[in-house]
Amino acid sequence: GAGVSQTPSNKVTEKGKYVELRCDPISGHTALYWYRQSLGQGPEFLIYFQGTGAADDSGLPNDRFFAVRPEGSVSTLKIQRTERGDSAVYLCASSSTGAGDNEQFFGPGTRLTVL
Amino acid sequence: QKEVEQDPGPLSVPEGAIVSLNCTYSNSAFQYFMWYRQYSRKGPELLMYTYSSGNKEDGRFTAQVDKSSKYISLFIRDSQPSDSATYLCAMSANSGNTPLVFGKGTRLSVIA
């Protein structure tokens, strides 16, 4: 079946602009995560959804970052007033709910460049 | 000090070599340990998942966890050029749906 998809694959924007990054999780997966991976670093947690609600948003760096998942499937990460330091690969992952290890399946990421 | 430390490499080995990748961590609450492989311009994919201390083997891959030393390892036997990738350790305190804490990744090149 289809894996996690993310669009766009690349996004170039100018400092101060607003961007939206989209994640389509694996069908039926109730948990959805956003991570940010800077060059030469591992993924860093941003926010986690269980269904429609944000179960943990402790990783969001500041109030310029916001994410939604209105119908419990597709999620959008929104960044306002982008800064050059926001340049990174934004990864989305999804997992099922239940007993077990609940493996997180990652999408290919959106590479954001802020000029 | 970061919660998870991982030598970023790069590490270059000849085909057929045994590769050892390691991470240390500081949070004694971590109980679930994972190794992910990430090819260039791709998302990470899960290789190994272990709970608490001990060893787990899957084909050419062996994961070891030593909670007393807060040290985890991944061994790759008979390494192949297709193993060339970045290897990320990840861990969490809880099972189930929970955010992961990653190391920065070790870049591995296996030379034919």
Side-chain angles (χ1 to χ4, degrees):
Chain A
V4 177
S5 63
Q6 292 186 246
T7 55
S9 55
N10 285 283
K11 177 71 178 177
V12 180
T13 191
E14 293 179 342
K15 180 175 177 296
K17 298 290 189 184
Y18 168 83
V19 297
E20 289 190 351
L21 312 178
R22 177 187 167 111
C23 172
D24 280 85
I26 292 172
S27 177
H29 279 189
T30 56
L32 185 147
Y33 306 79
W34 285 98
Y35 294 85
R36 178 168 71 174
Q37 187 172 24
S38 301
L39 191 63
Q41 303 295 317
E44 291 184 313
F45 167 69
L46 295 176
I47 186 170
Y48 153 51
F49 287 90
Q50 186 64 254
T52 60
D56 183 351
D57 64 357
S58 62
L60 295 177
N62 51 58
D63 62 5
R64 294 187 298 105
F65 289 75
F66 189 71
V68 296
R69 195 186 185 199
E71 297 177 359
S73 178
V74 171
S75 177
T76 305
L77 179 66
K78 309 180 182 202
I79 311 174
Q80 299 178 320
R81 305 183 304 281
T82 51
E83 300 177 357
R84 292 195 180 89
D86 298 335
S87 297
V89 175
Y90 288 81
L91 293 164
C92 176
S94 71
S95 67
S96 60
T97 303
D101 58 45
N102 300 110
E103 177 182 348
Q104 295 185 23
F105 294 84
F106 283 82
T110 293
R111 185 173 298 269
L112 175 66
T113 303
V114 182
L115 301 176
Chain B
Q1 182 194 10
K2 294 201 102 174
E3 275 192 295
V4 180
E5 298 280 357
Q6 183 175 9
D7 186 338
L11 184 61
S12 184
V13 302
E15 183 175 359
I18 296 174
V19 176
S20 172
L21 305 167
N22 313 293
C23 288
T24 59
Y25 62 94
S26 57
N27 187 345
S28 57
F30 288 147
Q31 295 192 76
Y32 299 87
F33 304 93
M34 288 135 273
W35 285 95
Y36 280 81
R37 178 174 62 196
Q38 186 174 26
Y39 290 113
S40 182
R41 304 239 168 200
K42 302 286 187 184
E45 56 177 334
L46 183 66
L47 270 181
M48 299 287 283
Y49 179 100
T50 52
Y51 167 66
S52 195
S53 286
N55 293 359
K56 184 174 183 179
E57 188 173 321
D58 184 1
R60 296 185 295 111
F61 299 89
T62 300
Q64 288 186 352
V65 174
D66 181 349
K67 287 191 67 184
S68 64
S69 301
K70 296 190 180 69
Y71 186 87
I72 70 170
S73 301
L74 178 71
F75 297 95
I76 307 173
R77 290 183 298 282
D78 187 26
S79 55
Q80 302 295 308
S82 58
D83 294 330
S84 298
T86 295
Y87 289 80
L88 298 153
C89 63
M91 43 200 83
S92 67
N94 304 307
S95 66
N97 298 121
T98 186
L100 301 176
V101 180
F102 283 86
K104 62 169 52 181
T106 299
R107 196 166 170 185
L108 171 68
S109 294
V110 181
I111 311 301

